[in-house]
């Protein structure tokens, strides 16, 4: 006997999810995930801090970006996603919208990988980002201490670099500054 067709999830379904979960809609399905674990949250916060000053604030860098933590994106084909970090070039989005979400796809997205979300980030969210025209995706793994840098070329993701461990790096689209990856992996004070 065939399984009955499921009704695609709606924004109203997403709004009914308890606040302690991250809710997204991909391929018509409502997907919920737990809030980030401490090392995940630490890596996202440290990366956001490293990028905000030079790119959003224009402090010691070129400026010209909006860098935001966990924005809600409403993309093509009903996809609603919440990346860990996202950035828009100000020449594409001169002002922040007054809505609780963004309909304009960002230029850059970073997903912090965890065992509970990695398959969704790679198999579901990356194609949604490509379809929406996001230029760059970073996949950051705070446990394996790796950064994967992707660029969208002709609707396909090209892996530009995989960087493991600590050290200072320059990577697209933020190559104007060095990012100290060791700060993203730090587990305790003084390390």
């Amino acid at each position: 006997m065939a399984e009955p067709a499921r009704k695609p999830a709606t924004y109203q379904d997403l709004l009914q999810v308890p606040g302690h979960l991250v809710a997204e809609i991909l391929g018509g399905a409502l997907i919920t995930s737990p809030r980030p674990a401490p090392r995940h949250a630490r890596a996202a916060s440290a990366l956001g801090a490293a990028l905000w000053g030079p790119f959003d604030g224009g402090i010691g860098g070129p400026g010209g970006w909006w860098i935001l933590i966990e924005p809600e994106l409403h993309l093509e084909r009903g996809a609603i996603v919440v990346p860990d970090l996202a950035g828009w070039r100000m020449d594409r989005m001169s002002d922040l919208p007054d809505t609780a979400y963004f309909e304009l796809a960002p230029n850059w997205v970073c997903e912090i990988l965890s065992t509970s979300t990695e398959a969704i980030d790679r198999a579901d969210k990356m194609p949604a980002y490509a379809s929406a025209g996001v230029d760059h995706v970073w996949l950051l793994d705070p446990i394996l201490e790796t950064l994967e840098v992707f660029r969208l070329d002709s609707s396909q993701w090209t892996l530009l670099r995989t960087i493991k461990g600590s050290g200072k790096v320059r990577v697209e689209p933020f190559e104007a500054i060095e990012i100290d990856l060791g700060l993203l992996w730090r587990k305790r004070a003084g390390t």
Side-chain angles (χ1 to χ4, degrees):
M1 178 180 224
E3 206 175 294
R6 291 187 182 172
K7 183 181 101 184
T10 66
Y11 192 61
Q12 192 60 40
D13 296 328
L14 186 140
L15 293 175
Q16 300 303 313
V17 173
H20 69 281
L21 296 172
V22 176
E24 301 174 298
I25 298 175
L26 287 157
L30 178 65
I31 298 169
T32 61
S33 306
R35 300 297 306 164
R39 287 178 69 182
H40 180 122
R42 165 80 177 128
S45 298
L47 180 58
L51 295 176
W52 191 91
F55 292 97
D56 192 310
I59 303 163
W65 286 79
W66 299 106
I67 305 291
L68 298 172
I69 295 174
E70 294 188 351
E72 182 177 304
L73 309 178
H74 290 215
L75 304 176
E76 298 177 355
R77 297 182 184 95
I80 299 176
V81 295
V82 181
D84 292 292
L85 292 145
W88 290 259
R89 293 182 187 275
M90 288 181 182
D91 60 4
R92 282 186 59 237
M93 186 171 70
S94 58
D95 294 312
L96 293 174
D98 291 329
T99 57
Y101 55 85
F102 295 81
E103 292 181 329
L104 179 65
N107 295 90
W108 165 82
V109 166
C110 180
E111 293 289 357
I112 312 296
L113 301 178
S114 66
T115 54
S116 65
T117 63
E118 182 175 4
I120 294 165
D121 291 338
R122 290 183 185 280
D124 299 318
K125 291 173 96 172
M126 284 190 68
Y129 294 143
S131 180
V134 174
D135 299 318
H136 292 87
V137 169
W138 291 5
L139 298 179
L140 191 73
D141 190 322
I143 304 301
L144 297 178
E145 298 183 358
T146 59
L147 170 62
E148 296 172 76
V149 179
F150 294 88
R151 180 190 323 132
L152 189 63
D153 291 318
S154 302
S155 301
Q156 298 292 317
W157 291 115
T158 299
L159 177 61
L160 301 178
R161 292 178 72 182
T162 300
I163 305 157
K164 180 161 179 54
S166 298
K168 294 181 180 179
V169 298
R170 292 180 185 268
V171 290
E172 289 185 20
F174 302 113
E175 62 268 21
I177 65 160
E178 286 187 330
I179 299 169
D180 185 348
L181 293 180
L183 295 176
L184 309 183
W185 320 138
R186 190 165 71 182
K187 299 175 211 61
R188 57 182 101 11
T191 60

